């Protein structure tokens, strides 16, 4: 009962944010207009974006397999990635991230601790990409006259971030030693970032292998490009005047919106981010929400199909995986104070 109460309390802030954003969207949206936009959408273009949504997930699996140094089979990585996104869409606390690590470790021969750092570095790189696109997109939203200069600044910041991560990767032991010394003085540091830092620094090892990192960067860039094209086609089907450069801001906003605490799958925050970003370009909140709901549908579609197939192949159920993940999480929490 105490574990249930604790988990329920952790859900409350995210649930409140989701409910508030959903209420705001419902207040400003005209449902008749939204329904008309859905009926009049170009479904031929929508079909193309649906295909690209599956290609995106397949590309994301290739990104992950590259980080794993091609040790697991691609099919195992693909189904594990789909299972992870399916779990994230349904379960709280972003358990899908831990879930795909757990599920891949059971069928790849790699250990949980070997796989976990790759998730950390993947997410850090996603953050860099989404921040860069959001800032580039801002130049179009604000009609900035010096967009080229801003682009150079953003590029410089991203390169500086990579250089800093490379330095940390080359001096992993030194960084850990400094962190442990600081955590002895401020004990809350160990609780907040101890396990994350070790996984992060281990994951940064990819930066010290030049060819591996270039391959990882290539697949990551291609994966984000596929996402941009998919969102552009999706938007074109509702807004024929949609410009390709809008997608930098829209996709960047969607990535950050999905990172805000919310109900499972980013319900409310994801739709609010996409529709809000599109509204700045179109002035049409109702049709913008229709685009956001379509993006939500596609996210469910590819994760349910690929993740569902993966679960059936392994004889797993969502409830069974959830129970295993909660047991794993509780075990880690009880072991942490003793370490």
């Amino acid at each position: 009962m105490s574990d249930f109460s604790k988990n329920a309390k952790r859900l409350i802030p995210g649930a409140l944010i989701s409910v508030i954003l959903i209420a705001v969207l419902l207040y400003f949206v005209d449902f008749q207009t939204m329904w008309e936009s859905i009926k009049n959408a170009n479904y031929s273009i929508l079909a193309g974006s649906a295909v690209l949504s599956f290609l995106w997930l397949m590309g994301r699996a290739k990104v992950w397999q590259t980080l794993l140094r091609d040790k697991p089979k691609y099919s195992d990585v693909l189904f594990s990635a789909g299972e992870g996104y399916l779990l994230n869409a349904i379960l709280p606390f972003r358990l899908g991230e831990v879930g795909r690590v757990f599920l891949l470790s059971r069928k790849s021969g790699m250990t949980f601790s070997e796989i976990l750092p790759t998730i950390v570095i993947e997410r850090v790189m996603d953050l860099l990409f989404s921040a860069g696109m959001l800032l580039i997109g801002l130049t179009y939203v604000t009609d900035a006259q010096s967009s080229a200069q801003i682009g150079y600044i953003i590029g410089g910041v991203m390169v500086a971030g990579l250089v800093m991560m490379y330095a940390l990767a080359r001096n992993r032991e030194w960084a850990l030693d400094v962190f442990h010394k600081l955590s002895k003085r401020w004990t809350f540091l160990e609780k907040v970032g101890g396990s994350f830092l070790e996984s992060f620094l281990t994951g940064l090892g990819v930066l010290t292998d030049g060819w591996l990192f270039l391959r990882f960067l290539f697949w990551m860039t291609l994966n984000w490009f596929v996402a941009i094209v998919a969102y552009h086609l999706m938007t074109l089907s509702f807004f024929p005047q949609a410009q390709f450069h809008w997608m930098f801001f829209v996709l960047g906003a969607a990535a950050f919106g999905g990172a805000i605490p919310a109900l499972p799958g980013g319900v409310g925050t994801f739709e609010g981010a996409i529709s809000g970003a599109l509204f700045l370009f179109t002035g049409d909140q109702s049709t913008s929400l229709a685009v956001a709901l379509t993006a939500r549908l596609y996210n469910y579609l590819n994760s349910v199909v690929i993740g569902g197939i993966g679960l059936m192949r392994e004889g797993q159920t969502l409830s069974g995986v959830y129970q295993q993940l909660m047991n794993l999480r509780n075990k880690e929490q009880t072991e942490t104070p003793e370490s």
Side-chain angles (χ1 to χ4, degrees), residues 125 263 298:
M125 289 302 296
L263 290 171
Y298 284 179

Side-chain angles (χ1 to χ4, degrees), residues 138-185:
L138 277 172
T139 65
Y140 298 103
V141 174
T142 59
D143 294 323
Q145 299 298 314
S146 55
S147 58
Q149 293 181 352
I150 294 177
Y152 291 138
I153 293 172
I154 294 169
V157 170
M158 293 181 71
V159 170
L162 289 174
V163 170
M164 184 177 299
M165 288 194 295
Y166 176 79
L168 286 173
R170 298 290 296 183
N171 299 277
R172 178 177 178 274
E173 296 302 326
W174 172 83
L176 280 174
D177 184 55
V178 170
F179 176 80
H180 290 317
K181 287 180 179 178
L182 291 175
S183 61
K184 286 181 180 179
R185 181 175 300 180

Side-chain angles (χ1 to χ4, degrees), residues 34 141 193 244 280 295 297 299 306 311 316 330:
M34 186 179 76
V141 174
F244 188 78
L280 294 177
L297 175 63
N299 288 345
I306 296 179
L311 289 174
Q316 296 278 359
N330 292 335

Side-chain angles (χ1 to χ4, degrees), residues 103-304:
L103 291 168
L104 183 59
S105 69
R106 297 183 60 174
K107 56 196 170 193
S108 66
M110 299 181 69
T111 65
F112 186 92
S113 59
E114 281 183 285
I115 302 172
L116 182 61
T118 63
I119 302 297
V120 178
I121 191 64
E122 179 187 320
R123 285 297 173 231
V124 170
M125 289 302 296
D126 273 333
L127 182 61
L128 285 175
F129 270 82
S130 56
M133 288 204 301
L134 186 63
L135 292 175
I136 291 172
L138 277 172
T139 65
Y140 298 103
V141 174
T142 59
D143 294 323
Q145 299 298 314
S146 55
S147 58
Q149 293 181 352
I150 294 177
Y152 291 138
I153 293 172
I154 294 169
V157 170
M158 293 181 71
V159 170
L162 289 174
V163 170
M164 184 177 299
M165 288 194 295
Y166 176 79
L168 286 173
R170 298 290 296 183
N171 299 277
R172 178 177 178 274
E173 296 302 326
W174 172 83
L176 280 174
D177 184 55
V178 170
F179 176 80
H180 290 317
K181 287 180 179 178
L182 291 175
S183 61
K184 286 181 180 179
R185 181 175 300 180
W186 297 293
T187 54
F188 73 92
L189 289 176
E190 183 67 35
K191 182 178 180 181
V192 171
S195 58
F196 170 82
L197 182 65
E198 295 210 18
S199 295
F200 176 62
L201 291 175
T202 302
L204 288 180
V206 67
L207 298 179
T208 62
D209 186 331
W211 174 238
L212 177 64
F213 178 68
L214 287 176
R215 286 174 53 221
F216 163 64
L217 198 58
F218 168 77
W219 287 114
M220 178 68 86
T221 304
L222 182 61
N223 189 241
W224 274 90
F225 178 74
V226 170
I228 292 173
V229 175
Y231 271 72
H232 182 51
L233 291 179
M234 198 183 305
T235 306
L236 272 176
S237 65
F238 291 93
F239 294 106
Q241 78 277 22
Q243 301 295 308
F244 188 78
H245 62 257
W246 294 4
M247 298 307 107
F248 289 102
F249 186 70
V250 172
L251 206 53
F256 277 96
I260 296 173
L263 290 171
V267 172
T269 57
F270 179 79
E271 289 81 5
I274 292 180
S275 60
L278 278 174
F279 174 75
L280 294 177
F281 292 110
T282 66
D284 185 344
Q285 183 68 68
S286 301
T287 306
S288 295
L289 181 58
V291 177
L293 292 175
T294 303
R296 163 74 64 187
L297 175 63
Y298 284 179
N299 288 345
Y300 283 145
L301 180 64
N302 58 35
S303 61
V304 166

